[in-house]
């Protein structure tokens, strides 16, 4: 699951995105689930609705991974890092013609749908919780002006989606997880 560690005025908060639909998110913040909706008002200003309560926010990006967030007259310093992924280790058998050892250990999330090439996600065709069949299109990845359908490697339920439309991905990036 995608987890962000955010420091707000140097106090750590763990944030997990549980569900995303357009500008609406279901997030877990330090074990508490919240529904967050936002609208970009332009020039770094946003309208937020957090569990039904509406607030206005203003963001000022500073160098590095720091921003100042002004909400209700109070300014907070927010530091963020790249998301971390919970990975499981699996044994993969390698033919003896390729290696002297019979097995190697790789970190790969079970049921992970990986980007076969680098490119841009132009469309998501599934959502979290949706049942999919092997071969069903998960998303469209554009690379070198070609649209590539990324197919489900197995039957199951979409457990997590790690990308959004417009995201740039590298070969081997985890796009989604099917359980």
């Amino acid at each position: 699951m995608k987890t962000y560690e955010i420091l707000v005025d140097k106090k750590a908060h763990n944030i997990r995105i549980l569900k995303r639909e357009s500008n609406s998110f279901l997030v877990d913040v330090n074990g508490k689930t919240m529904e967050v909706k936002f609208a970009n008002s332009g020039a770094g200003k946003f309208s937020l609705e957090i569990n039904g309560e509406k607030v206005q926010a203003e963001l000022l990006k500073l160098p590095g991974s720091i921003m100042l967030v002004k909400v209700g007259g109070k300014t907070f310093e927010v530091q963020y890092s790249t998301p971390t992924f919970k990975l499981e280790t699996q044994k993969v058998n390698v033919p003896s013609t390729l290696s002297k050892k019979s097995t190697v250990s790789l970190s790969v999330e079970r049921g992970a749908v990986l980007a076969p090439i680098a490119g841009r996600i132009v469309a998501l065709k599934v959502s979290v919780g949706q049942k999919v069949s092997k071969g069903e299109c998960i998303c469209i990845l554009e690379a070198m002006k070609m649209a590539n359908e990324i197919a489900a490697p197995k039957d199951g339920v979409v457990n997590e989606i790690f990308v959004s439309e417009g995201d740039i991905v590298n070969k081997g990036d985890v796009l989604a997880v099917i359980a």
Side-chain angles (χ1 to χ4, degrees):
M1 176 152 309
K2 198 180 247 190
T3 302
Y4 297 87
E5 183 175 276
I6 308 288
L7 297 177
V8 179
D9 290 337
K10 307 216 186 298
K11 183 179 176 193
H13 299 278
N14 289 311
I15 299 173
R16 288 185 304 148
I17 299 173
L18 304 174
K19 184 178 179 182
R20 177 181 179 191
E21 291 180 11
S22 188
N23 290 343
S24 180
F25 295 84
L26 187 62
V27 296
D28 176 289
V29 179
N30 298 331
K32 183 178 178 184
T33 302
M34 299 179 171
E35 183 179 5
V36 179
K37 296 178 182 178
F38 76 94
N40 187 346
S41 303
K45 295 184 181 185
F46 295 85
S47 297
L48 298 172
E49 185 177 321
I50 303 169
N51 288 338
E53 184 179 329
K54 294 182 181 184
V55 294
Q56 299 297 314
E58 190 172 341
L59 302 178
L60 175 62
K61 177 85 172 90
L62 299 177
S65 59
I66 299 174
M67 67 176 95
L68 297 178
V69 180
K70 187 175 181 180
V71 179
K74 289 185 177 183
T75 302
F76 303 92
E77 181 182 284
V78 178
Q79 289 180 284
Y80 56 93
S81 61
T82 57
T84 56
F85 298 93
K86 190 185 224 179
L87 298 176
E88 299 175 12
T89 301
Q90 297 178 342
K91 292 279 185 181
V92 178
N93 289 323
V94 177
S96 59
T97 56
L98 297 177
S99 171
K100 291 182 182 178
K101 293 184 179 181
S102 61
T103 62
V104 294
S105 183
L106 298 175
S107 289
V108 177
E109 189 157 342
R110 288 185 192 205
V113 179
L114 304 177
I117 54 177
R120 178 185 305 270
I121 302 297
V122 294
L124 286 175
K125 299 294 187 177
V126 296
S127 59
V128 173
Q130 181 177 334
K131 289 184 181 181
V132 294
S133 301
K134 182 177 181 176
E136 185 175 339
C137 183
I138 300 294
C139 63
I140 308 279
L141 175 66
E142 182 183 82
M144 299 188 306
K145 302 198 187 244
M146 296 287 294
N148 301 280
E149 288 190 355
I150 307 304
K154 66 178 188 172
D155 293 341
V157 176
V158 178
N159 196 27
E160 297 174 82
I161 298 176
F162 293 111
V163 294
S164 301
E165 289 183 10
D167 284 357
I168 303 291
V169 297
N170 293 312
K171 180 179 180 178
D173 283 357
V174 178
L175 306 176
V177 175
I178 298 173

